[in-house]
Structure formats: C-alpha cells, structure tokens
Amino acid sequence: MKKLKSHFRFNKQEQSGVFFLLFIIILSQCVYFYVKYNSPSKANKAFVLNESIQAKVDSLKKQALKKDTLIIYPFNPNFISDYRGYALGMSVDEIDRLHAFRAKNRYVNSVLEFQEVTKVSDTLLKTISKYFKFPNWKNVKSNPENVRKTLNKLSKIKDINSATINDFKSIYGIGDKLSRRIVKFRDKLGGFFVNEQLYDVYGLENEVVERALERFQVLKTPAIRKININTASVVELYKLPYIQKKVAYAILDYRNDNKTVKTFDELLKIEDFPKDKIDKIKLYLALK
C-alpha cells in the first residue's frame, strides 16, 4: 500500500507540470470543437442551402410579377379599341378623337400624326409609341399604287367575331386544330370584346397572333347577356374560360359569407383568382 501511495506523490514542480498538461489538453479540446462546428465547410454548406431557397423565392416573385403585369404586344394604333386605349392610359376624349378620325376612313401613319389626332401627352406617347406597328408605307408619295394596295389591305380586315374556321386556317401557323380551338374559345366567351383576347387561346404563339390580327380585328362588340355574379351558379361561372371550377366554388363561398359582391375588386381577395385577367373578366360579368 505504501508503494502504491508513492506513485501519487509529487513535488511542487511536478504538480505544476501536471496542471499545465491538463490545461493544455482541455484547451486543445476546446479549440477542436470550436473549429469543428465553425469550419468553412459547414458554413459553405449552410450558405448553399440558403442560396437554393432564395432562388426558389426569387422564381416565385418573378411569376407573381408576371401575373400582375400587363403584357403589351406590338399593334397597329389605327385599331385601338376602348379597352386597349384605357389599358394604355389614354383618356376617353383621346380615344374618341382617334375613333372619329377613323370614321372618316382615314389612317394615322406615324407617331407624330397619332399625337396630332389624339392630342396625347408627350410622356404617354413616349411610353406607348414603342409598341406601334404601322403598315408598310414606303414610297407612298412616289408610288400611289402602294397607297391603294395598303388601303385595300386595311379595308379587307374582317371581324374576328364572325370569322370562320376556314378563315383562321388561312393564317400561316394556324391549322385545323388551332382554328377550331379559337372558335370554341370565342363561342364559350360569347364573342371577343378586345383583340388581345386572341392571345389567351391556348397553343397560339405570339407571332401567329400578330399575323392573325393583321387580318382579323374586333370590329363589332358582341351583344351578350352578362353573368350576374351575385346570382350565378357554379356551372354558369365555370362556363367562362377565364374562371376555373375551384375558383367558381370559391366565388360562391365568398358570396355566401358576405351576402353579396359589391365591387369587382372584391374578387381579387379570392384565392387563385386570375388577377391578371380581371379587366377581361369584368366584360362578361354584372353585379346586379
């Protein structure tokens, strides 16, 4: 026993050595665990994960922004409808001036002439004129035949609401399937109110729509019975191509909870309601 005790007897110098050895061991362990849990690899992995999530968030934001943004395609300003003029920011007087000018079978042929006729401000003109697509009027003064041909072409524009399947098939890029789809979509709506609705036909590329609108325009607004949103059934609402079945049910739920829909803006509160189509949907709905 005395021999065993002798092994644990240390002088002051040895005790100090043992103490510092333990201190170094503990310090080493602390440094090890600190480096382990704060190493660059861990930080990088965490950063990559956040970047992936951020990319998804950014993608969703872009999609939401697209839905809430009005897409403007190139168009001939001679055929601006009331709806398009309103969407572009034109006043009622400015739109009426253009329509009065066109009623005389005259056409604006430049950006400046458009402003002279409509009296739109320089600011608005700068914003919308980049979308203007005028007919080819080259050598008009030197070649009157071009004037006759261009006017003849414009005069042959047909009402899109009376065009047949065969009429649409005459456009390059529209075959039998797409032409039937256009007519079916138009019939479900009861008729197109604005030219831009042609872009809503599934499968039609923008370039094809632009070619079609050179031949077909909304020349006569369709006479339809608007759907009373406060009395309509799910089936009646669902018949409108812009409203999905689940949205139709959601509208009825909202109507039952609030007794009545007083303004069209209330529809924007409904989940999954196509906010980007609200202006077009309002053309087919009534509150009373």
Side-chain angles (χ1 to χ4, degrees):
M1 193 68 178
K2 289 182 179 180
K3 290 182 179 181
L4 183 63
K5 288 182 178 179
S6 65
H7 289 293
F8 295 94
R9 291 178 180 175
F10 302 98
N11 57 37
K12 290 185 178 181
Q13 187 176 0
E14 291 172 336
Q15 289 176 358
S16 298
V18 172
F19 174 80
F20 282 112
L21 178 61
L22 290 174
F23 175 79
I24 292 171
I25 292 173
I26 294 172
L27 181 62
S28 299
Q29 290 295 314
C30 291
V31 172
Y32 170 78
F33 285 110
Y34 177 83
V35 173
K36 181 179 179 180
Y37 291 103
N38 294 277
S39 63
S41 60
K42 288 284 184 180
N44 288 339
K45 288 180 181 178
F47 179 76
V48 171
L49 178 62
N50 290 338
E51 189 177 59
S52 176
I53 294 173
Q54 186 61 48
K56 292 181 180 179
V57 172
D58 292 340
S59 176
L60 291 173
K61 285 182 178 179
K62 287 180 180 179
Q63 291 179 15
L65 186 61
K66 282 184 178 180
K67 288 183 178 181
D68 293 335
T69 302
L70 176 65
I71 301 176
I72 303 177
Y73 300 95
F75 62 93
N76 186 335
N78 285 289
F79 299 101
I80 290 179
S81 61
D82 289 333
Y83 170 80
R84 183 190 277 274
Y86 172 78
L88 291 173
M90 295 176 65
S91 67
V92 175
D93 291 338
E94 291 166 349
I95 299 171
D96 288 344
R97 291 189 194 105
L98 177 63
H99 289 175
F101 181 81
R102 286 285 294 108
K104 300 175 183 178
N105 201 29
R106 299 174 64 186
Y107 297 88
V108 293
N109 306 311
S110 68
V111 174
L112 291 178
E113 188 174 3
F114 177 84
Q115 186 178 36
E116 290 177 1
V117 172
T118 60
K119 310 298 182 185
V120 297
S121 66
D122 293 338
T123 303
L124 179 59
L125 184 69
K126 184 179 180 180
T127 302
I128 66 176
S129 60
K130 57 186 176 183
Y131 300 106
F132 287 0
K133 185 178 180 181
F134 292 100
N136 185 10
W137 287 86
K138 292 181 179 179
N139 302 318
V140 168
K141 293 182 179 179
S142 59
N143 190 352
E145 180 63 17
N146 286 346
V147 178
R148 187 190 66 77
K149 288 181 179 179
T150 303
L151 289 174
N152 187 46
K153 181 180 178 181
L154 290 173
S155 65
K156 288 183 178 180
I157 290 177
K158 191 171 184 178
D159 189 354
I160 196 171
N161 285 317
S162 61
T164 64
I165 290 175
N166 287 331
D167 289 333
F168 289 121
K169 285 170 64 175
S170 67
I171 303 298
Y172 177 73
I174 299 179
D176 185 69
K177 185 176 181 180
L178 284 176
S179 60
R180 291 180 183 279
R181 189 177 294 169
I182 293 171
V183 172
K184 183 179 180 180
F185 183 79
R186 183 188 66 191
D187 290 346
K188 286 189 71 175
L189 288 172
F192 292 126
F193 271 93
V194 292
N195 299 327
E196 287 78 8
Q197 288 178 286
L198 193 59
Y199 287 100
D200 298 329
V201 178
Y202 178 75
L204 276 183
E205 297 182 356
N206 293 344
E207 296 79 5
V208 177
V209 173
E210 290 169 14
R211 283 197 292 271
L213 291 179
E214 291 178 357
R215 291 275 306 279
F216 305 104
Q217 301 270 336
V218 177
L219 302 181
K220 186 178 180 181
T221 303
I224 64 170
R225 183 180 67 84
K226 292 190 175 185
I227 302 170
N228 188 329
I229 198 169
N230 284 307
T231 59
S233 64
V234 169
V235 175
E236 289 177 309
L237 291 172
Y238 180 52
K239 283 183 179 179
L240 195 60
Y242 296 120
I243 298 179
Q244 297 181 353
K245 199 168 189 176
K246 63 178 181 179
V247 176
Y249 276 107
I251 291 174
L252 257 67
D253 290 340
Y254 179 87
R255 192 177 71 193
N256 292 334
D257 292 340
N258 296 274
K259 296 183 179 180
T260 183
V261 178
K262 297 179 181 179
T263 66
F264 289 116
D265 289 339
E266 292 180 52
L267 299 177
L268 302 178
K269 302 176 184 177
I270 297 173
E271 186 177 0
D272 295 326
F273 187 86
K275 298 178 181 179
D276 58 322
K277 299 289 193 302
I278 183 65
D279 288 332
K280 296 175 184 177
I281 292 174
K282 288 193 296 186
L283 298 171
Y284 299 89
L285 298 179
L287 297 172
K288 294 181 180 180

